[in-house]
Amino acid sequence: MRTTPRVVVIGAGIVGANLADELTARGWTEVTVLDQGPLPLTGGSTSHAPGLVFQTNGSRTMTRFATYTVEKFKTLDVDGAWCFNQVGGLEIATTPERLADLHRKQGWATSWGVPGEVVGPERCAELYPLLDRDQVLGGFHTPTDGLAKASRAVTALARRAQSRGAVFRGSTRVTEVLQQGGRVTGVRTAAGDEIPADIVVSCAGFWGPAVGELVGMRVPLLPVAHQYARTGQVAGLVGRNDEQSEARLPILRHQDRDLYYREHNDRLGIGTYAHRPMPVRLGDLPEVEDGDLTEAAMPSMLPFTEEDFAPSWEASKQLLPSLRDSKIDTGFNGIMSFTPDGGPLVGESPDVAGFWIAEAVWVTHSAGVARSVAQLLVDGRSEIELHGCDVHRFDEIETTQSYVDETAQRNFVEVYDVLHPLQPKLSPRDLRVSPFHARQKELGAFFLEAHGWERPHWYEANARLVKELPAEWQPPSRDAWSAMFHSPIAAAEAWKTRTAVAMYDMTPLKRIEVSGSGAVAFLQRLTTGKMDKSVGSVTYTLALDEAGGIRSDLTVARLGEQLFQVGANGNLDLDYFRRQAPADGSVQLRDITGGTCCVGVWGPLARDLVQPLTGDDFSHEALKYFRLKHATIAGIPVVAMRLSYVGELGWEIYTSAEYGQRLWDALFEAGRPLGVIAAGRAAFNSLRLEKGYRAWGSDMNTEHNPYEAGLGFAVSAKKTGYVGCGAVAELSNDTVSRRLACLTVDDGRSVVLGHEPVFLDGEPAGYVTSAAFGHTIGKPVAYAWLPASATVGTQVEIQYFDRRVRATVTAEPLVDPEMARIRR
């Protein structure tokens, strides 16, 4: 009798082999791994991967994936031969901008627990004697990075998984995913064999889109060729290495020229991203034949194009003078996987239960991703939060082939670029615009982009107000980094919001309509708040996972007895709702974001603006805080919700998209005598932090419970039976060992941006999540995860590039703690 599910893994590369190992280690022994290529060298990206493992990443999740890969691969060997050579890593700077970025990267390493230091040119030359020391301004040295022997690791992982019962079959191409009743039942191979399965996981790498098509699932991934060459013998390496070690120098990255290097005994391997993007169509690749594959006949290794490599070879000889007496011996254009945002793709098909993918995963993150997928399958959740990896993070437009092609190629070009946290896509732009877009352009909106939406961050029409700012509202000058994608106009927009009235475009925020006879019970089961309230109620609530982690925070508005509007964080919420919807059809779900629009009208004069435009009563008594009203404004049917995420009097005003521009015009014209302005996301973010409002995904996620995040108030003490209820039942504000703490920067000027490490008593103790200059209080504000012992008044330091900034844990909210302004 079977005791565990039957699992078929498609792809025996580094991800599939890791997944088989992770599943069998958890007692799931009925695992079959299939690959269209021969074993163990199957012809995918693993077969040619250079294996450089640099752990540090701006994403905490990706860094933790890489750290686990290092820890795991260090324990592997094949007949005594190493699978991970911990030679360390060195990233060098040849420009001041890159050196500054290395200090920022060292801050990430400290935040995520990776040892590393920024060193000077002399130390760089000691670590890597081949360098021309005069070209180097400094470097970031990480001693625990190193080289993964990917093909050897696959052998070690497969052997271990096989010893626990897993089966590996090469030269077996899957041609069909069998299913019945919306669930997978197995796979069929090209030979006609049927292999039963309860779960199928595609770890097919750049072949992932083709496997996804077998169940009608879009896998937003583009195969792109990337150049790698090996030199002839290098004089400076002769006699340094033996066949056993293969490399002793650190792996090296010269990101100013899009280059990386690793030793191959007395030769160097050189990888480059400096060439034009070379997208690959799967139909153009040669068929995988039985028998041993060689580099001369490997579908993932395309012919080397010397003309593309020529500039990189010249740059390499300039940096590493020893190469001037060498030459390129061999090279190839190896296929890799790129996605619209550079992240991996993990998740289950929305239509076929039991069909999962784990694609666009590089060797660096392979073991970490595989462990998380195994945890999802076996335990129902990953210990590492995955919102930046979940394939369903993309909206539909972001999964179209044209969008994937364009954005993935751009990510290839920018893979080693110094990118600002607010840096928007260059293209495609104007993909999704609100009905207010034309008016925003007339007002000189500076747009940034998120999920294809154009989002104003400030308006040049408000530049005149900067000169009118009172002295206490004058923003400080900023350093070059924090001044990027910023304008002092944001201070004027915050000032007008606090003192007069401003209009904010809230249209891009995801809105889900939940309706039907089962809607109340459905929302009651998925959230921490009471949903069976009167029509017209609005509730801020949380969606938890079974372990009590915060899956999302939601604003649920009851529009009718069986009709709700849920303000969500993105497509992950919609995907979750759809998976949880009852099969009896009693709940209907609709994404209404594109068909509706929303303008936030906020400020002490908000009622003076809105009330003359409507015959409905917008007084505090008639429309209290966290209530809604169906009304007409300037003859336009709207739903007005008494909410304010900037901490001022006002409403979120919703209407159908076709009425949007007219609504904007009516509000703006009526507000002229009151000094109304349009305001952008820069001011909004500052104001919301001053009020202590959290942003899911930045400030908290599934790794945090409500009490740690300061959201215990959103958990109903009288409610039971919701997802995660048991996990948080015994928790309280007094039981937590860490908290999301509010910090103010003591010097009043240093504006940090997020992910910086925070030091307590001189030791790394946490990291910044969200940050902005608090224009109302005249100080920079940051939220950070810190030990619960860091109570109000505790002095800390934030590392900003190469310096420490003093900050203080401060009581929150910073503005209007009595909530008097919002309840006028």
Side-chain angles (χ1 to χ4, degrees):
M1 184 177 67
R2 287 189 292 111
T3 57
T4 64
R6 297 164 298 184
V7 181
V8 167
V9 177
I10 302 174
I14 195 67
V15 181
N18 261 300
L19 180 57
D21 178 63
E22 294 288 339
L23 288 172
T24 55
R26 288 164 173 78
W28 281 25
T29 56
E30 296 193 54
V31 176
T32 302
V33 182
L34 308 176
D35 201 292
Q36 62 182 349
L39 301 178
L41 198 66
T42 63
S45 297
T46 300
S47 304
H48 63 70
L52 283 71
V53 178
F54 282 92
Q55 298 166 84
T56 306
N57 191 291
S59 161
R60 182 170 181 264
T61 291
M62 298 299 284
T63 300
R64 293 176 72 191
F65 285 159
T67 299
Y68 180 69
T69 299
V70 168
E71 294 170 354
K72 182 174 181 177
F73 284 14
K74 281 167 56 180
T75 69
L76 300 177
D77 71 90
V78 175
D79 303 326
W82 60 270
C83 291
F84 188 78
N85 186 1
Q86 199 162 39
V87 293
L90 179 65
E91 301 178 55
I92 56 154
T94 58
T95 63
E97 294 78 13
R98 182 68 61 179
L99 183 60
D101 192 59
L102 294 185
H103 281 288
R104 183 171 67 119
K105 188 168 289 186
Q106 191 274 332
W108 295 342
T110 302
S111 292
W112 316 144
V114 176
E117 62 175 337
V118 175
V119 297
E122 294 295 339
R123 179 60 177 152
C124 289
E126 290 175 9
L127 290 164
Y128 208 93
L130 301 185
L131 285 171
D132 180 353
R133 178 239 176 273
D134 292 337
Q135 291 195 45
V136 178
L137 301 180
F140 174 46
H141 179 229
T142 43
T144 58
D145 290 346
L147 289 168
K149 191 77 169 181
S151 57
R152 191 179 292 160
V154 165
T155 298
L157 292 163
R159 286 181 181 179
R160 191 157 71 182
Q162 287 168 322
S163 72
R164 303 183 188 120
V167 175
F168 280 68
R169 289 175 54 180
S171 303
T172 304
R173 184 162 60 92
V174 173
T175 58
E176 185 178 354
V177 175
L178 305 175
Q179 50 189 289
Q180 184 176 357
R183 288 202 60 89
V184 299
T185 59
V187 300
R188 180 177 286 117
T189 72
D193 298 335
E194 290 190 9
I195 303 172
D198 305 296
I199 295 170
V200 174
V201 187
S202 176
C203 302
F206 61 79
W207 279 289
V211 177
E213 286 177 4
L214 299 179
V215 296
M217 181 179 181
R218 285 184 185 172
V219 177
L221 174 162
L222 180 69
V224 181
H226 158 65
Q227 290 198 302
Y228 190 78
R230 292 194 190 194
T231 70
Q233 191 176 69
V234 178
L237 296 178
V238 174
R240 288 183 56 92
N241 302 305
D242 54 40
E243 291 294 328
Q244 186 65 23
S245 67
E246 190 176 329
R248 297 186 190 276
L249 293 178
I251 50 177
L252 177 69
R253 286 206 284 198
H254 179 22
Q255 292 174 296
D256 285 319
R257 296 302 297 267
D258 295 317
L259 287 160
Y260 64 80
Y261 307 88
R262 60 151 293 175
E263 284 177 280
H264 293 284
N265 294 309
D266 59 358
R267 301 159 190 263
L268 272 186
I270 306 173
T272 178
Y273 295 95
H275 55 81
R276 61 191 168 88
M278 304 177 192
V280 175
R281 299 301 169 198
L282 297 182
D284 297 336
L285 297 178
E287 290 288 331
V288 178
E289 302 291 344
D290 290 348
D292 292 335
L293 291 174
T294 66
E295 289 190 3
M298 184 87 69
S300 62
M301 298 173 68
L302 304 180
F304 189 59
T305 50
E306 293 185 20
E307 64 277 12
D308 290 304
F309 192 76
S312 293
W313 178 235
E314 293 304 314
S316 296
K317 289 189 291 185
Q318 185 177 6
L319 180 71
L320 308 172
S322 294
L323 295 183
R324 295 168 190 170
D325 296 323
S326 185
K327 63 179 182 178
I328 297 300
D329 189 14
T330 62
F332 61 90
N333 293 356
I335 303 177
M336 304 172 67
S337 300
F338 279 80
T339 62
D341 61 3
L345 304 173
V346 172
E348 187 180 18
S349 162
D351 303 311
V352 182
F355 181 85
W356 290 73
I357 68 168
E359 310 288 21
V361 180
W362 294 7
V363 171
T364 300
H365 310 107
S366 57
V369 169
R371 178 178 64 170
S372 285
V373 173
Q375 290 173 341
L376 286 169
L377 296 177
V378 177
D379 306 322
R381 76 184 300 268
S382 164
E383 67 183 73
I384 295 176
E385 72 90 17
L386 299 177
H387 83 272
C389 306
D390 194 312
V391 65
H392 303 296
R393 66 188 180 272
F394 300 110
D395 285 334
E396 183 180 16
I397 190 68
E398 298 172 279
T399 66
T400 62
Q401 193 62 58
S402 62
Y403 185 93
V404 172
D405 286 357
E406 183 171 353
T407 55
Q409 289 183 66
R410 189 72 207 174
N411 280 329
F412 178 91
V413 171
E414 295 178 343
V415 70
Y416 277 174
D417 287 2
V418 177
L419 298 177
H420 192 274
L422 293 176
Q423 190 127 2
K425 289 182 175 68
L426 292 176
S427 64
R429 295 298 296 268
D430 290 335
L431 190 65
R432 307 170 81 178
V433 299
S434 83
F436 317 136
H437 187 67
R439 298 296 183 255
Q440 292 166 345
K441 291 179 70 175
E442 291 169 3
L443 293 169
F446 179 84
F447 293 99
L448 296 182
E449 179 271 348
H451 290 285
W453 282 103
E454 296 295 323
R455 305 175 74 174
H457 272 242
W458 67 82
Y459 293 84
E460 288 297 331
N462 298 325
R464 59 183 173 77
L465 298 174
V466 177
K467 297 179 182 178
E468 301 175 18
L469 281 170
E472 65 271 20
W473 282 87
Q474 288 290 338
S477 60
R478 293 189 174 212
D479 66 275
W481 184 252
S482 63
M484 289 180 67
F485 304 105
H486 177 76
S487 169
I489 294 172
E493 293 177 0
W495 171 55
K496 278 293 186 178
T497 307
R498 289 277 190 243
T499 60
V501 61
M503 292 166 51
Y504 289 81
D505 182 3
M506 307 300 288
T507 300
L509 302 183
K510 179 74 77 175
R511 290 178 291 283
I512 304 169
E513 182 183 272
V514 182
S515 61
S517 60
V520 173
F522 173 74
L523 292 170
Q524 187 79 356
R525 179 171 62 85
L526 297 186
T527 69
T528 60
K530 178 177 170 57
M531 294 294 109
D532 194 11
K533 295 180 178 177
S534 61
V535 172
S537 64
V538 184
T539 305
Y540 176 79
T541 188
L542 306 175
L544 307 180
D545 64 18
E546 292 288 357
I550 302 172
R551 181 185 288 276
S552 189
D553 66 335
L554 308 166
T555 303
V556 181
R558 191 167 194 180
L559 304 178
E561 288 293 335
Q562 298 183 4
L563 179 63
F564 293 81
Q565 178 176 304
V566 179
N569 283 296
N571 207 57
L572 290 179
D573 295 319
L574 179 60
D575 177 67
Y576 176 60
F577 277 18
R578 285 173 172 165
R579 293 177 190 281
Q580 294 294 321
D584 61 8
S586 61
V587 174
Q588 291 83 50
L589 301 169
R590 279 203 311 148
D591 181 352
I592 60 172
T593 311
T596 56
C597 59
C598 176
V599 56
V601 180
W602 292 311
L605 301 182
R607 189 173 285 117
D608 298 294
L609 190 161
V610 172
Q611 188 62 76
L613 294 176
T614 179
D616 296 280
D617 189 352
F618 272 65
S619 68
H620 175 66
E621 293 73 22
L623 183 53
K624 294 185 181 298
Y625 192 50
F626 270 88
R627 297 288 298 180
L628 67 85
K629 178 189 287 288
H630 293 268
T632 57
I633 293 177
I636 300 164
V638 303
V639 173
M641 299 185 191
R642 183 80 183 278
L643 308 175
S644 176
Y645 286 96
V646 299
E648 295 294 331
L649 168 68
W651 306 269
E652 291 181 358
I653 302 174
Y654 296 87
T655 191
S656 183
E658 72 261 33
Y659 304 135
Q661 184 168 295
R662 184 173 181 85
L663 174 65
W664 179 278
D665 288 347
L667 292 168
F668 203 81
E669 187 61 32
R672 287 185 188 277
L674 305 172
V676 70
I677 63 164
R681 298 293 298 182
F684 179 91
N685 196 49
S686 169
L687 298 170
R688 71 113 180 151
L689 285 174
E690 290 181 330
K691 285 299 295 180
Y693 296 141
R694 278 70 167 139
W696 186 87
S698 300
D699 297 319
M700 72 282 188
N701 52 54
T702 54
E703 294 184 14
H704 311 111
N705 70 54
Y707 298 96
E708 293 172 328
L711 297 174
F713 67 87
V715 179
S716 173
K718 299 179 180 179
K719 183 178 176 181
T720 60
Y722 57 87
V723 175
C725 176
V728 299
E730 301 301 320
L731 300 180
S732 71
N733 292 328
D734 299 326
T735 62
V736 301
S737 59
R738 61 178 178 176
R739 286 195 181 94
L740 186 63
C742 178
L743 309 178
T744 53
V745 175
D746 292 349
D747 68 12
R749 300 180 61 85
S750 300
V751 181
V752 299
L753 298 179
H755 293 182
E756 297 89 353
V758 181
F759 293 79
L760 180 61
D761 297 327
E763 296 296 325
Y767 58 91
V768 173
T769 58
S770 295
F773 189 84
H775 297 290
T776 315
I777 66 168
K779 292 182 178 181
V781 181
Y783 273 77
W785 282 101
L786 289 174
S789 59
T791 54
V792 171
T794 300
Q795 298 291 304
V796 298
E797 291 180 308
I798 303 171
Q799 180 181 322
Y800 183 65
F801 289 87
D802 59 347
R803 62 189 177 94
R804 301 276 182 91
V805 176
R806 292 183 179 275
T808 302
V809 179
T810 309
E812 57 172 326
L814 297 167
V815 172
D816 192 27
E818 299 82 15
M819 301 289 283
R821 300 170 69 93
I822 212 166
R823 298 178 185 274
R824 298 172 195 237

